[in-house]
């Protein structure tokens, strides 16, 4: 993903997206450069109008619903009930084991 970000950074800065510039950005960012990935990205972006591609990209809105204290408390109660049920099952199985022991 950092390779794409580096290409977008070069584009935003008005610089040419070529292997040398892409490597420079990645190295400055502390990324270990993979020559094959750099070549593949530069090749893939050849002839692509990045501004047009960005304008046509679809972005899904992300909505976050706040969690209330009541929901957290209810979730804890459910977990406790499950634990109690599991303990009861274990006790019942121990009792059955005594029949055959």
């Amino acid at each position: 993903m950092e390779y794409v970000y580096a290409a977008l950074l070069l584009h935003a800065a008005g610089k040419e997206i070529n292997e040398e510039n892409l490597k420079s950005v990645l190295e400055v960012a502390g990324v270990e450069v993979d020559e094959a990935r750099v070549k593949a990205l530069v090749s893939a972006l050849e002839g692509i109008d990045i501004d047009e591609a960005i304008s046509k990209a679809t972005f899904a809105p992300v909505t976050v619903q706040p969690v209330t204290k009541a929901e957290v408390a209810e979730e804890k109660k459910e977990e406790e009930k499950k634990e109690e049920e599991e303990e009861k099952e274990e006790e019942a199985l121990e009792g059955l084991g005594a029949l055959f022991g």
Side-chain angles (χ1 to χ4, degrees):
M1 201 58 145
E2 55 272 355
Y3 290 81
V4 174
Y5 292 146
L8 288 172
L9 182 61
L10 287 169
H11 175 73
K15 304 289 183 182
E16 181 181 353
I17 301 173
N18 58 33
E19 290 178 34
E20 183 180 325
N21 290 347
L22 199 56
K23 283 186 226 177
S24 296
V25 170
L26 291 168
E27 287 172 355
V28 169
V31 176
E32 188 175 325
V33 178
D34 181 357
E35 298 283 335
R37 290 178 73 183
V38 170
K39 288 181 182 183
L41 180 60
V42 170
S43 174
L45 291 175
E46 240 175 68
I48 301 291
D49 182 0
I50 295 176
D51 289 321
E52 183 181 337
I54 291 172
S55 68
K56 288 184 178 180
T58 58
F59 298 99
V62 177
T63 57
V64 178
Q65 296 178 349
V67 178
T68 64
K69 290 181 182 180
E71 291 173 333
V72 172
E74 185 177 319
E75 193 172 299
K76 285 183 182 179
K77 287 180 185 177
E78 289 176 10
E79 287 178 16
E80 289 175 2
K81 286 181 184 178
K82 287 181 184 178
E83 289 175 7
E84 288 176 10
E85 289 175 7
E86 289 175 1
E87 288 176 9
K88 288 180 183 178
E89 287 178 14
E90 288 176 8
E91 290 173 4
L93 291 175
E94 288 175 7
L96 288 176
L99 293 173
F100 301 105

